Amino acid sequence: MSDETDTGRYLRLTVDLVVEVLDVNALQAAALAEIRDPQTELDEDERREQIELVNSDDTGAAALQWLIEPDHVLALVDHVEEVEPREAMLGVEPSDGILEDEGEDEHDHEHDHDHPHDGPGHLH
Protein backbone atom coordinates (compact mmCIF):
# COMPACT_ATOMS: atom_id res chain seq x y z
CA MET A 1 0.00 0.00 0.00
CA SER A 2 1.30 3.43 -0.92
CA ASP A 3 1.56 6.25 1.61
CA GLU A 4 0.74 8.83 -1.06
CA THR A 5 -2.45 10.81 -0.59
CA ASP A 6 -4.88 9.55 -3.18
CA THR A 7 -8.45 10.78 -2.72
CA GLY A 8 -9.66 7.91 -4.89
CA ARG A 9 -8.68 5.51 -2.12
CA TYR A 10 -10.76 7.15 0.60
CA LEU A 11 -14.51 6.90 1.15
CA ARG A 12 -16.56 8.88 3.65
CA LEU A 13 -19.24 6.78 5.32
CA THR A 14 -22.16 8.84 6.60
CA VAL A 15 -24.77 7.32 8.89
CA ASP A 16 -27.77 9.14 10.34
CA LEU A 17 -29.52 7.47 13.24
CA VAL A 18 -32.40 8.94 15.22
CA VAL A 19 -33.01 7.57 18.70
CA GLU A 20 -35.79 8.34 21.15
CA VAL A 21 -34.63 9.12 24.67
CA LEU A 22 -36.95 7.13 26.92
CA ASP A 23 -35.45 8.27 30.23
CA VAL A 24 -33.11 11.27 30.12
CA ASN A 25 -32.33 10.99 33.85
CA ALA A 26 -31.21 7.36 33.51
CA LEU A 27 -29.19 8.26 30.41
CA GLN A 28 -27.46 11.07 32.28
CA ALA A 29 -26.83 8.81 35.29
CA ALA A 30 -25.17 6.21 33.07
CA ALA A 31 -22.96 8.87 31.47
CA LEU A 32 -22.04 10.34 34.85
CA ALA A 33 -21.02 6.89 36.09
CA GLU A 34 -18.74 6.59 33.05
CA ILE A 35 -17.25 10.05 33.63
CA ARG A 36 -16.65 9.36 37.34
CA ASP A 37 -15.06 5.96 36.66
CA PRO A 38 -11.39 6.12 37.73
CA GLN A 39 -10.51 4.26 34.49
CA THR A 40 -11.75 7.25 32.47
CA GLU A 41 -8.70 9.28 31.54
CA LEU A 42 -9.73 12.74 32.74
CA ASP A 43 -8.06 15.09 35.18
CA GLU A 44 -10.29 16.56 37.89
CA ASP A 45 -10.97 19.81 36.01
CA GLU A 46 -11.99 17.91 32.86
CA ARG A 47 -14.12 15.55 34.94
CA ARG A 48 -15.98 18.47 36.58
CA GLU A 49 -16.45 20.15 33.19
CA GLN A 50 -17.91 16.99 31.62
CA ILE A 51 -20.21 16.38 34.61
CA GLU A 52 -21.51 19.94 34.31
CA LEU A 53 -21.98 19.52 30.55
CA VAL A 54 -24.00 16.30 30.97
CA ASN A 55 -26.08 17.75 33.84
CA SER A 56 -26.89 20.96 31.96
CA ASP A 57 -27.99 19.23 28.74
CA ASP A 58 -31.65 18.28 29.16
CA THR A 59 -31.78 16.64 25.71
CA GLY A 60 -29.41 13.82 26.73
CA ALA A 61 -27.14 14.41 23.70
CA ALA A 62 -24.03 15.02 25.80
CA ALA A 63 -24.78 11.92 27.88
CA LEU A 64 -25.32 9.71 24.85
CA GLN A 65 -22.09 10.87 23.28
CA TRP A 66 -20.26 9.67 26.40
CA LEU A 67 -21.88 6.24 26.21
CA ILE A 68 -21.20 5.42 22.56
CA GLU A 69 -18.13 3.22 22.28
CA PRO A 70 -15.90 4.08 19.31
CA ASP A 71 -15.36 0.35 18.71
CA HIS A 72 -19.10 -0.05 18.16
CA VAL A 73 -19.05 2.58 15.42
CA LEU A 74 -15.97 1.04 13.80
CA ALA A 75 -17.75 -2.34 13.87
CA LEU A 76 -19.76 -1.11 10.88
CA VAL A 77 -16.74 -1.96 8.72
CA ASP A 78 -14.77 -4.43 10.88
CA HIS A 79 -15.97 -7.37 8.79
CA VAL A 80 -14.81 -5.77 5.52
CA GLU A 81 -11.20 -6.91 5.04
CA GLU A 82 -10.67 -4.68 2.01
CA VAL A 83 -10.93 -1.44 3.99
CA GLU A 84 -9.19 0.01 7.01
CA PRO A 85 -10.74 2.80 9.11
CA ARG A 86 -8.52 5.89 9.05
CA GLU A 87 -10.43 8.59 10.91
CA ALA A 88 -13.77 8.89 12.68
CA MET A 89 -15.83 11.66 14.19
CA LEU A 90 -19.11 11.31 16.02
CA GLY A 91 -21.64 14.00 16.84
CA VAL A 92 -24.86 13.74 18.82
CA GLU A 93 -27.40 16.54 18.61
CA PRO A 94 -31.12 17.10 19.23
CA SER A 95 -33.49 16.13 16.42
CA ASP A 96 -37.14 16.57 15.57
CA GLY A 97 -37.49 12.78 15.55
CA ILE A 98 -37.30 12.05 11.83
CA LEU A 99 -34.46 11.73 9.36
CA GLU A 100 -34.32 14.68 7.00
CA ASP A 101 -34.72 14.09 3.27
CA GLU A 102 -32.02 16.58 2.25
CA GLY A 103 -30.00 15.29 -0.66
CA GLU A 104 -31.87 11.99 -0.78
CA ASP A 105 -31.88 12.06 -4.59
CA GLU A 106 -28.10 12.55 -4.63
CA HIS A 107 -27.50 9.55 -2.37
CA ASP A 108 -30.29 7.25 -3.51
CA HIS A 109 -28.58 4.15 -4.88
CA GLU A 110 -29.93 0.76 -5.90
CA HIS A 111 -27.76 -0.78 -3.18
CA ASP A 112 -29.82 1.06 -0.55
CA HIS A 113 -32.92 -0.79 -1.66
CA ASP A 114 -31.29 -4.19 -2.07
CA HIS A 115 -29.98 -4.37 1.50
CA PRO A 116 -32.12 -2.48 4.02
CA HIS A 117 -30.17 -1.71 7.18
CA ASP A 118 -33.02 -1.47 9.63
CA GLY A 119 -33.06 -5.09 10.75
CA PRO A 120 -31.58 -6.52 13.93
CA GLY A 121 -27.83 -6.84 14.13
CA HIS A 122 -26.98 -3.99 11.77
CA LEU A 123 -26.83 -1.14 14.28
CA HIS A 124 -25.70 -1.57 17.86
Side-chain angles (χ1 to χ4, degrees), residues 16-71:
D16 285 338
L17 170 66
V18 174
V19 299
E20 179 181 359
V21 177
L22 302 176
D23 186 341
V24 73
N25 293 326
L27 183 64
Q28 289 173 321
L32 293 173
E34 180 76 19
I35 293 167
R36 291 182 175 124
D37 185 333
Q39 300 280 339
T40 303
E41 297 178 8
L42 296 172
D43 66 34
E44 285 309 309
D45 288 338
E46 291 171 324
R47 199 176 305 273
R48 272 192 298 276
E49 183 180 315
Q50 292 302 311
I51 289 170
E52 184 178 319
L53 180 65
V54 167
N55 282 331
S56 66
D57 177 16
D58 61 354
T59 68
L64 182 58
Q65 189 148 359
W66 261 100
L67 296 170
I68 296 173
E69 295 287 334
D71 289 346

Side-chain angles (χ1 to χ4, degrees), residues 77-93:
V77 294
D78 273 352
H79 66 286
V80 182
E81 294 177 12
E82 296 81 6
V83 300
E84 181 177 337
R86 292 292 183 185
E87 191 175 9
M89 183 172 60
L90 172 70
V92 179
E93 59 190 37

